[in-house]
Amino acid sequence: MSIGFVAVAAGKNILLIIGGGIAAYKCLELIRRLRDRGHRVRAVMTKSAQQFVTPLSVGALTNERVLTDLFNLDEEREIGHIRLARDPDVIVVAPATANLLARMAGGHADDLATAVLLATDKPVLVAPAMNPAMWRNKATQRNVTQLKADGIRFAGPAVGEMAERGEAGPGRLVEVPELIAAIESIFEGEAETSGALAGRHVLITSGPTHEPIDPIRYLANRSSGKQGFELAAAARNLGARVTLITGPVALPEPQGITIVRIKTAAEMLEAVQAALPADIAVFAAAVADWRVDAPQTEKIKKAEGKRAPTLTLTENPDILRTIAQSGPLRPRLVIGFAAETEDVLAHAKKKLKSKRADWIIANDVSPASGVMGGESNTVHVITAGGVENWPEMSKAKVAQRIMERAAVELHARRTAAE
Ligand code: CTP
């Protein structure tokens, strides 16, 4: 079969209005991550925002001219403020200062940012950032209540330490991953009906497993779960119903996904079996190969003269292989991962056969690669048809490409079966 990518509605047009706050620098990271996820970002900066970050750095990251001035004829000719208000799929205001919120609530239109906000009929998400006293002030709270009543969505503020030393409370800009989750959740309903995986059930395993030694200690590995969470978000963005079965990880929960949290490999297998049937199953978890034979129910104590305990290990069930051999319940497309530290392709090809997977996504996880816990990944896609070497990409992009390709493959398999 020839391999192509389905045209998907995953990439959105986002207009980012950057307000003048110390947190404005976080917009640089936000833009980079949004673009990694396939979105297009155009930015408008208020006058005071330009005191904190330069239009030059914002423009370099968006790859678009940054707009700053309502009365600039060049800018108005290039893209008038009314088109700027109507073209995007969503407008994000971050950081939204107390002053900007007040001007929005009052319906002002005395600069480009507020004129666009007044002219738009698109969803608007604001992420406030200010000193806690300013946030708690009655005037700000009155404006927030008004804006919420007007249908404006809010992300945050988060609670924590402020830039001013010794100040803490509500007022921090939400972290970038949470802001992205809030932005993408606006498109969820849409994706469910229009995506390439609409009506399909995608099952994903992710993260490490923890195998208990006693009630306090366990065996684990360095998996962060990032790639699995990105796969779940990518499948959701294509309209799939997603079940994400994850070991213990510290990641923000993607919205619009059923998350099942487990600890051990045995629990993961049980949860996977309970979630079947599925159209696609992706096994991204770093399942512990062994568990402790007889975990102690009480904490193991050390005592002088007592020998260090010996752990006897038993092999865990191979979840991928079990599901790939589950007869009529076998998902139509079974995708495994091969995390290797040497001879990546040779090991991965063996796994394709021994695990009975349709594809193996192989990656080098040697410490020098920085993949474990890192943001990017360099993968090889091994199928019965051969090997594809993909360039280094963010984990979000890898996830998006895998799910797009899976949608094409699933469609081909269904058509062949009919
Ligand atoms: N896997 C699984 N259940 C296990 C072990 C692995 O489902 N008990 C899945 C992983 O999620 C991954 C694939 O099998 O998709 C390969 O896992 P990996 O640990 O790389 O392979 P192993 O079979 O454990 O082989 P080895 O540790 O010898 O490399």
Side-chain angles (χ1 to χ4, degrees):
M1 165 202 147
S2 75
I3 302 301
F5 291 125
V6 270
V8 286
K12 296 287 179 185
N13 290 317
I14 297 169
L15 180 71
L16 175 64
I17 295 183
I18 307 178
I22 197 112
Y25 75 92
K26 286 195 187 166
C27 283
L28 301 177
E29 170 78 357
L30 175 67
I31 295 166
R32 196 175 63 73
R33 297 262 203 115
L34 285 170
R35 292 200 62 206
D36 277 350
R37 301 174 74 81
H39 303 297
R40 289 165 297 278
V41 186
R42 198 175 243 281
V44 165
M45 296 179 72
T46 65
K47 203 167 165 212
S48 45
Q50 296 167 57
Q51 303 289 326
F52 295 93
V53 279
T54 65
L56 199 65
S57 26
V58 173
L61 287 171
T62 57
N63 208 20
E64 298 268 3
R65 178 163 175 189
V66 176
L67 304 164
T68 52
D69 193 352
L70 182 58
F71 304 107
N72 180 320
L73 279 182
D74 278 352
E75 286 185 6
E76 194 60 20
R77 211 173 293 125
E78 187 186 330
I79 177 166
H81 70 275
I82 298 294
R83 237 188 74 204
L84 210 49
R86 303 271 163 84
D87 278 1
D89 297 299
V90 64
I91 299 184
V92 179
V93 186
T97 58
N99 183 43
L100 193 47
L101 291 178
R103 292 194 296 138
M104 285 173 73
H108 293 219
D110 53 3
D111 66 356
L112 185 60
T114 47
V116 166
L117 286 163
L118 198 64
T120 194
D121 56 354
K122 296 296 154 83
V124 176
L125 175 77
V126 303
M130 65 195 74
N131 174 279
M134 292 169 87
W135 172 255
R136 288 194 194 102
N137 185 286
K138 281 188 186 148
T140 304
Q141 287 306 310
R142 205 165 49 235
N143 292 331
V144 170
T145 307
Q146 182 61 56
L147 289 166
K148 285 185 178 166
D150 296 344
I152 304 290
R153 298 155 210 249
F154 277 74
V159 177
E161 291 276 324
M162 305 307 292
E164 298 91 344
R165 282 173 67 154
E167 292 247 19
R172 278 174 63 93
L173 186 73
V174 285
E175 293 302 327
V176 169
E178 280 162 60
L179 193 45
I180 291 178
I183 295 168
E184 290 187 343
S185 73
I186 295 175
F187 309 124
E188 262 157 35
E190 210 179 302
E192 267 158 33
T193 52
S194 68
L197 286 174
R200 306 272 169 255
H201 181 206
V202 177
L203 179 68
I204 295 167
T205 70
S206 178
T209 62
H210 285 185
E211 308 296 336
I213 298 170
D214 66 18
I216 313 296
R217 306 175 178 102
Y218 55 83
L219 299 178
N221 58 64
R222 292 185 195 281
S223 168
S224 65
K226 279 183 193 160
Q227 189 63 78
F229 272 55
E230 294 292 1
L231 282 160
R236 175 206 63 199
N237 290 348
L238 292 179
R241 178 165 72 81
V242 184
T243 307
L244 174 65
I245 296 160
T246 176
V249 290
L251 293 172
E253 282 205 358
Q255 298 183 17
I257 284 165
T258 304
I259 301 201
V260 183
R261 293 190 182 271
I262 53 80
K263 289 208 174 73
T264 66
E267 288 164 6
M268 184 174 270
L269 175 60
E270 203 177 305
V272 169
Q273 285 170 325
L276 291 175
D279 297 284
I280 300 173
V282 190
F283 296 87
V287 184
D289 287 317
W290 303 279
R291 67 177 179 276
V292 176
D293 201 10
Q296 300 299 301
T297 48
E298 302 298 338
K299 186 181 166 199
I300 304 169
K301 304 294 284 180
K302 64 177 180 311
E304 221 167 289
K306 197 171 146 193
R307 279 177 52 182
T310 305
L311 298 177
T312 313
L313 304 179
T314 308
E315 204 166 314
N316 266 330
D318 190 313
I319 302 169
L320 163 54
R321 192 186 292 132
T322 308
I323 301 305
Q325 293 177 311
S326 56
L329 270 179
R330 183 190 197 276
R332 216 180 268 271
L333 187 60
V334 173
I335 304 174
F337 271 73
E340 309 291 350
T341 54
E342 36 83 45
D343 229 350
V344 177
L345 289 183
H347 285 306
K349 281 180 188 165
K350 266 193 215 144
K351 279 181 191 167
L352 184 73
K353 288 218 176 75
S354 69
K355 305 241 180 189
R356 314 271 169 92
D358 298 304
W359 300 353
I360 290 283
I361 314 291
N363 59 1
D364 180 353
V365 292
S366 56
S369 73
V371 167
M372 283 276 184
E375 296 298 331
S376 67
N377 207 351
T378 308
V379 304
H380 312 272
V381 180
I382 292 130
T383 70
V387 177
E388 279 174 40
N389 300 310
W390 289 7
E392 183 177 348
M393 282 179 262
S394 66
K395 288 184 175 173
K397 196 89 204 170
V398 169
Q400 187 192 332
R401 292 244 175 124
I402 291 172
M403 292 319 307
E404 285 174 1
R405 205 177 139 181
V408 174
E409 178 75 22
L410 189 67
H411 182 72
R413 286 178 182 227
R414 290 182 73 90
T415 315
E418 274 158 14

